[in-house]
Amino acid sequence: MIAIVQPLVPHYREHFFNRLREQAPFELYCYNGAEAMQKQNLSAGRTPAKPLPALSIGPFVLYNPLRLFKSDYKVLVLMLNFAHISTWIILLLKPFLKQKVILWGHGISVKRYIREEQQPSRLLKWMMQLADATWFYTSREMELWQQVIPALNAVSLNNTISEVEQILQQPVPDKMLLRKKYGIRTKRVLIYCARFNEPGRRIDLLLQVIAATDPTEYGFIIIGAGKYKPDFSAYPHVSDFGAVYDPAVKQELFGLADLYFQPGWVGLSAVEAMAYGKPVCTFKRSEAVLQCVEYSYIKDGHNGLIFENMEQCLHALDTISDDAISDMGQQARRFVKENLTMTNMVGNASHSLHAMIR
């Protein structure tokens, strides 16, 4: 038997857990509830989970580890987070528990990425050395840590979204017909689809681009809600759809767009955009522009565009050809098919779990 601990199960993660359970049965524990889901503007996934009462103070989390000390739990999948006090307790007691521990996480701080790239966290290093295996979201962070710990038993799950295979199966839509349906007549359309819950998304840069572009040439589709969302009503070339969870509507909105544009904090939204065949446009990771680990999926000029600054961004948008956009879109879709299917992510996790159980 396997036990997995997570804060909650959002909609984009439900297929991973549901399909993994078919290959490697487990019990899922969640220490956050519906209130946390609402605060983060997330839609809840339909995955059965057991409540795990926890005390949270700032970033620190303490849940009752005794819940996991059942004799029939052979493997525990815990979060790779040094602020989880209970995880430390379990790791330190592991020699006496006869349980194997897998740690699952980014392996690096999004907010401290530039620094930790050069000087990885000592606390995370210690955690991984105490554990039996580590699951990383992407191969880039796994490779960084394997340079630090050459003998590290690690797997890159290749983080993706629940709906990715359904998106890939959809036929190529009639772009012009969809633009007519939604009343969008501009030559080029950029789409943004992410929650406005994080300052790191750099909405100020999004607004700069919107303000600097010709309303007769550029149209913007906005999907998302959250406390940091600005008022787009002053811009005639912006169509704001708020939070959209209907896959049919989302398919149409992505279908009428040319490019996906999110200035910062690009994460799983890049996977969704690439699955729809949209090149991902963003700014280069820096101390001022934070990016999530899925940023490594974007290859500049191949399946997206990574801008050094605003001047380069606006120039690229003005000069890129339709053929170049089409080629990058095809490469984006191919990258998802070859690397980021849910079948692939579930398989990576399942193989690791079965290796632990043997």
Side-chain angles (χ1 to χ4, degrees), residues 21 49 141 196 212 273 357:
R21 185 173 268 141
E141 290 71 39
F196 291 88
I357 295 170

Side-chain angles (χ1 to χ4, degrees), residues 72-90:
D72 53 347
Y73 287 154
K74 304 302 181 186
V75 180
L76 305 179
V77 181
L78 309 177
M79 297 182 69
L80 179 58
N81 187 327
F82 60 72
H84 283 207
I85 308 302
S86 303
T87 302
W88 283 109
I89 294 171
I90 293 169

